[in-house]
Amino acid sequence: MKRFDVIISGGAMAGATLALALDASCGGKLRIAVVESYDFSAQAHPGFDARSIALSDGTVQILQAYRLWDAIQPYATPISRIHVSDRGHAGMTEIEAKQQGVSALGYVVELADVGQVYHRLLQERPAIELFCPASIQTVERTTDEVQILLDDQSSLRGKLLVAADGNASTCCRQIGIDANVHDFEQVAVIANVALSQEHQGQAFERFTQSGPLALLPMTRQRMSMVWCVRPDALENMLDWDDETFLSQLQQAFGWRLGKMSRIGTRVAYPLKLTYRTRAVSHRFAIIGNAAQTLHPIAGQGFNLGIRDIATLVEEIRHYPDDVGCYAALSAFQHRRTPDRQKTMTMTSALVHIFSNAWFPAVVGRNLGLMAIDNFPVLKQPLLTQTLGHVSR
């Protein structure tokens, strides 16, 4: 029987960030267990696969506070400009880093690179113990602690259990906190694209007839592509060879980045909003994709999750002798609810507005984009969310 202060289920982006942030914030005084079911050394770890994510300026500031950014920055590509447009229509708007007084609007990192960094850091921190590969079989809670049984029949005890194990969270299911699911009826096709010219740190969100198409700048003259399409269109796309796919992508996106010269392996993910109305229970907290999994439009997913982490760390610090007490978890829930609801509502609304071919909706959204581009007061909410300067 091993005892810890905090047990974290899930060692991918959210779980590993939480463990390292807690360790840094509490000076290594908390005993932390990270239980991860996939082998970190495996090439196919689903939490650190070939995808890329955009980290907002606000997220970078949080990572800096926990002394994590210096290790990640060498693998990050800065975003200097974001261009938002509706294909075939006049509506568009742009956000530039220089105009906002920041060196970058955000950064793009490849999950595989961050996974290697995090695995090394987790092993270097003496207060963190990694159980990997291991999975949680049962969860039992008493008044003062939580006890989990692993698949090798070993037991861990702690003051707090945190679910950071994705939208199909095993811990949430065992405790009985169900998820609400809204199917966007879209599939995200993800791949890396090589360009024939420099991207100059530009990021693009282009709304096409089939769904949003995002291109994010990466290292080595590449872009990370997320192309959202209807499920019936996916069947044809999977049959395309590289040349056909590039031709269709070029037609949908245009030539703002010049000729797209090569496409990498394509992977498809169904897109659903999955969220739990409660983020806490007795000696139990939920963060990241386990709490809410968003549509990738506007790149808000991990940035919302990092705010979960930062808030939970702040509340835990007030109660070092009992990190899972009611006061800490109640304050965490109270602080996170407005941001979670606002961000989920915003991203879902954008999906429905920009995936609607109804003519009045097309006219309305293009007028909206033009108004945002010309009136700073209308642009401010977009800037706040994009930069991640959101109140917690």
Side-chain angles (χ1 to χ4, degrees), residues 1 138-141 145-149 155-158:
M1 179 73 67
T138 63
V139 177
E140 294 183 8
R141 294 174 293 171
E145 64 181 13
V146 58
Q147 179 177 332
I148 65 169
L149 179 68
S155 294
L156 310 180
R157 287 191 178 186

Side-chain angles (χ1 to χ4, degrees), residues 81-309:
R81 185 169 74 105
I82 298 174
H83 180 94
V84 183
S85 62
D86 195 5
R87 183 180 180 275
H89 303 282
M92 59 83 67
T93 189
E94 289 185 343
I95 304 172
E96 298 215 18
K98 288 182 179 179
Q99 292 178 352
Q100 306 309 315
V102 294
S103 58
L105 297 170
Y107 294 82
V108 179
V109 295
E110 296 181 61
L111 291 176
D113 292 333
V114 179
Q116 293 181 6
V117 170
Y118 274 179
H119 188 214
R120 173 176 56 81
L121 292 176
L122 288 172
Q123 291 179 313
E124 290 175 354
R125 304 288 177 91
I128 300 174
E129 187 167 350
L130 182 62
F131 296 84
C132 176
S135 57
I136 296 175
Q137 299 297 300
T138 63
V139 177
E140 294 183 8
R141 294 174 293 171
T142 64
T143 303
D144 298 323
E145 64 181 13
V146 58
Q147 179 177 332
I148 65 169
L149 179 68
L150 301 181
D151 51 355
D152 65 358
Q153 300 305 303
S154 60
S155 294
L156 310 180
R157 287 191 178 186
K159 295 292 185 180
L160 173 66
L161 173 63
V162 181
D165 48 353
N167 59 6
S169 170
T170 300
C171 290
C172 290
R173 189 168 63 250
Q174 290 178 354
I175 287 176
I177 301 180
D178 296 328
N180 299 285
V181 180
H182 171 71
D183 192 344
F184 290 113
E185 297 182 351
Q186 290 183 350
V187 178
V189 180
I190 298 172
N192 295 333
V193 183
L195 306 176
S196 58
Q197 66 183 46
E198 294 289 341
H199 52 60
Q200 298 178 327
Q202 298 178 92
F204 295 85
E205 183 90 56
R206 193 155 174 76
F207 299 103
T208 73
Q209 208 168 22
S210 60
L213 169 60
L215 288 166
L216 302 175
M218 298 171 63
T219 57
R220 302 194 301 277
Q221 211 166 296
R222 297 173 300 152
M223 302 291 282
S224 172
M225 180 206 76
V226 181
W227 192 354
C228 303
V229 300
R230 292 184 298 272
D232 57 344
L234 178 68
E235 296 179 13
N236 293 328
M237 293 178 74
L238 294 176
D239 294 332
W240 293 345
D241 57 22
D242 289 1
E243 184 178 351
T244 304
F245 193 98
L246 281 172
S247 175
Q248 294 292 329
L249 175 61
Q250 194 89 63
Q251 182 180 346
F253 177 74
W255 296 86
R256 288 180 178 274
L257 288 168
K259 182 176 175 58
M260 299 174 184
S261 59
R262 195 169 68 254
I263 186 78
T265 303
R266 275 87 76 191
V267 181
Y269 297 91
L271 296 177
K272 298 177 182 180
L273 169 64
T274 306
Y275 67 97
R276 303 178 204 275
T277 54
R278 288 192 294 155
V280 300
S281 181
H282 177 62
R283 299 207 169 270
F284 183 66
I286 315 170
I287 63 166
N289 282 349
Q292 65 274 317
T293 303
L294 309 183
H295 191 288
I297 194 170
Q300 292 296 309
F302 180 71
N303 296 299
L304 179 59
I306 198 76
R307 298 197 291 273
D308 291 344
I309 292 166

Side-chain angles (χ1 to χ4, degrees), residues 32 121 141 178 352 372 390:
I32 303 166
L121 292 176
R141 294 174 293 171
D178 296 328
H352 293 298
I372 288 171
V390 179

